[in-house]
Amino acid sequence: MAGLEEAIGELERDREFLAQVTRWQRIPAREGTFEPFPQSLDPRLAGILSRRGITRLYSHQAECFRSVAQGNNTVVVTPTASGKTLCYNLPVLQALLREPEARALYLFPTKALAQDQQSELNETVLAGEVGIHIATYDGDTPGSVRVAARDGGRIIISNPDMLHAGILPNHPKWIKFMSSLRFVVIDEIHMYRGVFGSHMTNLIRRLKRIVRFYGSNPCFICCSATIGNPLELAKRVLEEDAVLVDRNGAPSGEKHVVFYNPPLVDRVQGIRRGVVLESRKLAARLLTRGVKTIVFSRSRVRTELIASYINESLASVFTDNHRIRVESYRGGYLPNERRAIEQGLRSGAIQGVVSTNALELGIDIGGLDASVLAGFPGSISSSWQQAGRAGRRSAVSLAILIASSSPLDQYMVTHPDYFFSRSPESAWVDPDNPYILADHLKCAAFELPVKEGERLGGPVDGVLALLEESGVVRRTEGAFYWSERSYPAEQVSLRSASSENVVIIDETKGRNAVIGEMDRPSAKELLFDGAVYLHRGAQFMVKKLDLENRRCMVEESEVNYYTDAIVKTDIKVLQKDGEVERLGIRVLSGDVLVRSQVAKFKKLKFHTHENVGYGEIALPEEQMHTRSVVLELGEDTPGGAAFALLPAPAREEVVADIGTLVKNVAPLFLLCSSSDIGVSERLRDPLLGVPALYVYDRYPGGTGLSEGFLDRIEPIMGAVRDLVSACACEDGCPSCIGPAARDSGPVEGRKKTVLGFLAAWLGAARDG
Amino acid sequence: MADRLGARLEWIRPRSREEAPPRAETPRRPSGIEGFRPVGDHLFLREETLASPLAGLALPLVLPGLAPGEEASRLVFLDTETTGLSGGAGSTAFLVGIARADGERLVVKQLFLEDFPGERELVERLERELSERDVLVTFNGKAFDVPLLRTRFIMNGRRFPEARQLDLLYASRRLWKALIGPCSLRSIEERVLGIERSGDVPSFLVPEIYLDFLRTGDPSGLRTVFAHHRQDIVSLARLLAHMEGIAAAAARGSAPSGRFDREALGRLLVERGVESGVAFLERAASSGDSRAARTASLIHKRRGSYDRALAIWRELWERSESLFGGIELAKYYEHAARQPAEALKIVERLCLAPGRLASMGEEERAGLLARKARLERKTRRSD
């Protein structure tokens, strides 16, 4: 990597660049640890590997092989480029070669990205040569292929949604597969956190129940990215013991991690150069020096913008730079477009790519030299995963984080120690959440009558009695039978977002060609009539968004601006179930309607990003009917009285800080992920007339998190107070009350104010 | 939503009562089901003997493809009513009808599952009633009834006897779709068989009626379901008899009565290996059915009987300058007879006919023009 070493050297001598660098961390190279092929390895597999130039294994691959051979459920932590697929493919193929009837199920978290990719890989790399039938089984699998996959597939590649709604409810069609299932591989298990993870655990419970019916007892192999608690998470998802393999034997080269804060353009207002232009400049600089670069951007529009800006910078005909190929990559492209880009990256035909987090994990794009993070990705583990995309085996690599002007980014870039000393986030699940459990119990009863006293994770007779009362199951002669005409899995979604997509159709000159797709809520924000839609360097104007028929007609355009919708969200209480006095305040619980409306959009000029006009959007609002609790700080309660004693100018900040704290702390108590709950603060709620804090479920219909919040309000608020008083930061950081917002001006003593209020409130509650 | 539910409840509630019966704490077990006798703890049977619609038809029947010497009693008419229409392990067949022809008689059995735990008895009973040597005659059974029963067998640890299947839906679509549109058993009853049902219950309400019976223990709502189901089985037998009657007449060389697609029937016969199907197609062709003519000619062509195919193409070409006839003739002259000039004459006439090119599909037009260009080349060369 002469190019990269040169580029790094150049940056190290560049004063202007260095002036903006807040940390240049060098992570030393590490030698690989290798082991010879295991003695027992089937000679056919050994042969295939040697033909591919693999003559030994990384120590973690060998360890994983041994562990599985001993029949252990195994969790292997696999950073990027550590040979993940061999960790599970070797032990699985070994067993499948020895036992001609044995079968395996591979589960990948998403259909679109990781999985079809993996199937291709598995097929061509390994199994094709040993004659093991591998079949993908997901929503896109044509009916004609399904029967062959079910009956003949030795390895079935699928996803949780398909297992949930397609495979398990039809298990008798899978009798051959289920009765000889030996392995279940769960890739990217760290994705199964919070509500999604709680669904996954219940799905595994259902799978185990069905395979038991057919007399099999599979071994689980899980792969996890680096998170705080991989073994704990796997044990909770599997509800079985497991062995952890986390000593990575893959070598890695020296890694430079650079934190870069763009220069101020307006010292008075604290405005800095934007992430888009800065990342374009840096990426172009690297690319022209022959450095293969990936840029991670935080939104689809930015991905498109950065890619086309980079291409414009490289377009000069006087140099050879226009030969450098840079592509954008995100969800919503056609599968063959995505495949072509991935292929181009692997083969080296494409030197640069700008991507959303779609390329963070899972997809094989070969090794890149440098990774540019255009904005902090939101979590420590994502940051490391994105940085990890750069780095091939033993070569030097570079990762640059470019901070945006958001408070969180500014905190990270100005407190690099915070970033480098924190371990990656942990993942939690709560499979016994009654909403989720009841949903899966319905599905389980549909799949096989549930005997009285039978357990699903734990005892479930109580939940079954409720289901019986509502008439969906019938208890008769010691068992609960599904007694509804419906197909319950269809009504239970494992994810919060609907999978409904809008198809984008290019009608330029009567072309009528599908060029991409987009999920419905995003379509409202990005594909409204008059929006500029950017797609791999091409520019289109939206003529008509037809939500009813899930189509969007676009036409090629050549305007000098792009568009950005302004989204307004509000919450309305629909039905109040109850109001209780707890902890010295009033807490309302009930149904709420969370509405988000795009009513206007901005036209932003390319390159300068200055606002050149507005437009109106006429689209129905996006609605989510869900469950919420509302913490009311009315003056007639001790907590509210304490709030009223705060100086008026501080009140808004304090409500917001309490909101941030709750968002940081509640997930630990509710065993959810912070994206599962919504928190919204009001200095004066228009309906209730008092300061209020909404904590709501971000799943349509609710998932019981807000009820859980009310149950645990005392320990949660206690932990909130302890967190602020114990936090070592100066005056607010992302772990406690959040960094100070730039536009709030220099507020001194934020922590002291919040702490004072919490002490007064909780003290009054204790005394009262 | 609420409206739909209300309407559904109206259906379910027995008409004679103003109020739905209050839900009993423990639904009482029905002491008996009208017309049925218990044959297990939770299994009831209704048996009925009717005059067989198949009586009088010559054996072996044409359509089911019974092997020579096989009895019509190998035919089992099968139909199920289920707790759900979307399939999956949680949909149960609560009513299974099987009817077997026995000479002059048709013996209809309806097996009724009075509660879920009786399913094993139902499955075991069916296991005794059915044999792998049977032919299961159904309407949409390939996609629905048979997979569902197969699932129910597996759920009870048994293997479904995998008999041959004759799903009348497919043949019905071929014979009647062009005439009556979408083919449901109901529409065929009305428009082909002349059967009228009165007071029949719509299929989509059936699951709800049964589940309501489980909740209340009151079987009165089921009466319409039993009647509906019985009619379905009888209609199956009548439909097969009707189709067989047409097929047999066509095979004999006489003209079958009633409305149906003659080309489809001829093709059906040929597919079943009934040689006289070709003659039937030719008769239809000579009475002006150009689709039948086309099919007959292609059968001849495939078999290498160019003389007979040619006769039909010439007839089509001379009678109406048919595009199909013209092109087939041109192909024949160009490739088989090696007379490109003859072929070119026909192609030129096709291209010249006013409005013809414009009315053709893009691919067809391109094909014709390419053929013309090639023939022009060939004729120049041979000059």
Side-chain angles (χ1 to χ4, degrees), chain A residues 169-170 446 474 476-477 481 485, chain B residues 42 83 89-90 115 204 208 214:
Chain A
N170 291 298
F446 180 90
R474 170 175 173 77
T476 174
E477 296 186 9
Y481 293 80
R485 54 181 294 179
Chain B
H42 296 285
T83 58
D115 200 352
F204 70 93
E208 213 58 71
L214 287 181

Side-chain angles (χ1 to χ4, degrees), chain A residues 624-645:
Chain A
M624 179 171 68
H625 187 156
T626 184
R627 305 275 302 159
S628 180
V629 290
V630 189
L631 280 52
E632 299 175 54
L633 296 166
E635 281 183 46
D636 55 334
T637 59
F643 187 78
L645 287 174

Side-chain angles (χ1 to χ4, degrees), chain A residues 474 481, chain B residues 30 33 36 39-45 81-83 91-96 110-123 152 156 210-211 213-214 222 226:
Chain A
R474 170 175 173 77
Y481 293 80
Chain B
I33 307 250
F36 284 77
V39 289
D41 282 346
H42 296 285
L43 191 64
F44 287 74
L45 171 69
E81 298 296 339
T82 61
T83 58
S91 294
T92 305
F94 69 86
L95 188 58
V96 181
Q110 287 174 284
L111 285 159
F112 174 65
L113 182 65
E114 177 263 343
D115 200 352
F116 296 122
E119 192 173 55
R120 177 172 289 267
E121 296 170 331
L122 171 65
V123 162
R152 299 333 299 172
N156 287 279
Y210 176 68
L211 295 168
F213 154 74
L214 287 181
L222 286 167
F226 294 143

Side-chain angles (χ1 to χ4, degrees), chain A residues 301-588:
Chain A
V301 173
R302 281 187 179 186
T303 299
E304 297 286 348
L305 283 179
I306 296 173
S308 45
Y309 289 178
I310 294 175
N311 276 319
E312 283 167 26
S313 327
L314 299 176
S316 162
V317 290
F318 301 111
T319 68
D320 249 358
N321 291 343
H322 61 275
R323 292 177 204 274
I324 300 173
R325 201 168 144 207
V326 178
E327 291 280 356
S328 51
Y329 186 102
R330 58 176 173 82
Y333 288 171
L334 299 178
N336 57 348
E337 281 182 309
R338 288 203 308 264
R339 292 300 91 79
I341 299 171
E342 293 155 12
Q343 173 56 33
L345 283 164
R346 279 198 296 272
S347 71
I350 297 173
Q351 291 79 36
V353 64
V354 185
S355 173
T356 57
N357 62 2
L359 278 183
E360 188 173 302
L361 277 173
I363 294 158
D364 179 27
I365 49 168
L368 296 151
D369 307 318
S371 164
V372 174
L373 279 55
F376 178 65
S379 75
I380 308 264
S381 49
S382 281
S383 306
W384 283 115
Q385 279 148 24
Q386 295 187 357
R389 270 303 189 182
R392 285 184 263 195
R393 303 279 136 83
S394 45
V396 167
S397 68
L398 169 69
I400 305 179
L401 168 72
I402 302 177
S404 77
S405 53
S406 83
L408 186 59
D409 281 42
Q410 283 303 309
Y411 186 87
M412 289 295 168
V413 78
T414 52
H415 299 78
D417 281 334
Y418 176 89
F419 179 89
F420 285 100
S421 65
R422 268 188 91 82
S423 49
E425 291 81 358
S426 292
W428 307 103
V429 296
D430 177 19
D432 295 325
N433 170 324
Y435 278 56
I436 298 174
L437 180 61
D439 275 349
H440 285 275
L441 202 51
K442 285 188 206 171
C443 298
F446 180 90
E447 286 150 13
L448 205 58
V450 184
K451 295 195 187 73
E452 273 175 41
E454 194 182 328
R455 299 160 74 88
L456 197 72
V460 288
D461 279 348
V463 190
L464 282 166
L466 276 178
L467 294 180
E468 189 196 3
E469 221 170 273
S470 65
V472 298
V473 296
R474 170 175 173 77
R475 177 194 216 132
T476 174
E477 296 186 9
F480 294 85
Y481 293 80
W482 180 249
S483 65
E484 270 240 322
R485 54 181 294 179
S486 63
Y487 187 92
E490 248 169 27
Q491 294 149 17
V492 177
S493 168
L494 307 185
R495 308 179 195 246
S496 58
S498 75
S499 54
E500 234 179 50
N501 273 355
V502 170
V503 173
I504 304 167
I505 300 166
D506 175 15
E507 289 197 321
T508 314
K509 296 181 189 141
R511 223 175 268 158
N512 218 18
V514 173
I515 56 169
E517 56 178 17
M518 194 178 289
D519 63 283
R520 210 184 107 102
S522 305
K524 284 184 169 179
E525 292 173 26
L526 296 169
L527 294 175
F528 45 86
D529 299 0
V532 174
Y533 171 68
L534 304 171
H535 188 107
R536 293 187 70 192
Q539 188 196 102
F540 300 88
M541 178 82 73
V542 174
K543 287 167 61 190
K544 180 80 202 138
L545 173 60
D546 177 358
L547 282 171
E548 203 170 304
N549 296 307
R550 294 191 272 157
R551 292 184 306 188
C552 176
M553 269 61 81
V554 302
E555 205 168 66
E556 272 176 19
S557 67
E558 277 180 49
V559 293
N560 65 351
Y561 62 87
Y562 64 98
T563 49
D564 186 18
I566 305 166
V567 186
K568 282 192 302 189
T569 303
D570 83 320
I571 305 179
K572 192 173 116 187
V573 176
L574 288 180
Q575 195 186 338
K576 189 162 105 178
D577 290 351
E579 207 168 22
V580 292
E581 295 264 349
R582 282 286 283 279
L583 202 65
I585 54 168
R586 246 192 317 278
V587 184
L588 179 155

Side-chain angles (χ1 to χ4, degrees), chain B residues 171-333:
Chain B
S172 298
R173 279 200 188 133
R174 287 168 67 172
L175 289 174
W176 292 298
K177 192 170 178 196
L179 300 167
I180 69 170
C183 288
S184 65
L185 188 55
R186 207 68 63 250
S187 64
I188 290 171
E189 282 178 0
E190 274 172 31
R191 312 212 21 208
V192 177
L193 304 177
I195 300 174
E196 252 180 62
R197 297 194 186 203
S198 61
D200 189 47
V201 53
S203 294
F204 70 93
L205 285 177
V206 168
E208 213 58 71
I209 296 176
Y210 176 68
L211 295 168
D212 196 57
F213 154 74
L214 287 181
R215 278 175 215 127
T216 62
D218 175 3
S220 54
L222 286 167
R223 216 173 291 147
T224 51
V225 175
F226 294 143
H228 164 93
H229 179 241
R230 174 189 171 278
Q231 182 61 55
D232 279 354
I233 302 165
V234 173
S235 291
L236 264 181
R238 286 194 47 188
L239 176 56
L240 177 63
H242 183 77
M243 287 171 143
E244 188 59 29
I246 299 175
R252 274 198 312 273
S254 53
S257 58
R259 305 197 310 158
F260 61 90
D261 186 326
R262 287 188 292 179
E263 184 268 346
L265 178 61
R267 215 149 33 94
L268 208 57
L269 289 170
V270 174
E271 282 165 20
R272 301 264 177 215
V274 180
E275 190 47 40
S276 55
V278 184
F280 177 73
L281 282 168
E282 287 190 320
R283 285 200 304 282
S286 53
S287 69
D289 186 330
S290 58
R291 282 173 51 247
R294 181 189 168 114
T295 304
S297 75
L298 290 177
I299 291 170
H300 291 316
K301 180 182 169 186
R302 201 170 52 237
R303 293 173 172 180
S305 321
Y306 267 103
D307 295 351
R308 298 175 68 181
L310 269 175
I312 298 176
W313 294 334
R314 286 213 176 90
E315 158 85 22
L316 285 173
W317 176 241
E318 277 150 24
R319 189 169 54 195
S320 59
E321 292 211 347
S322 125
L323 178 66
F324 167 78
I327 289 192
E328 287 299 332
L329 273 182
K331 280 190 205 164
Y332 168 78
Y333 282 126

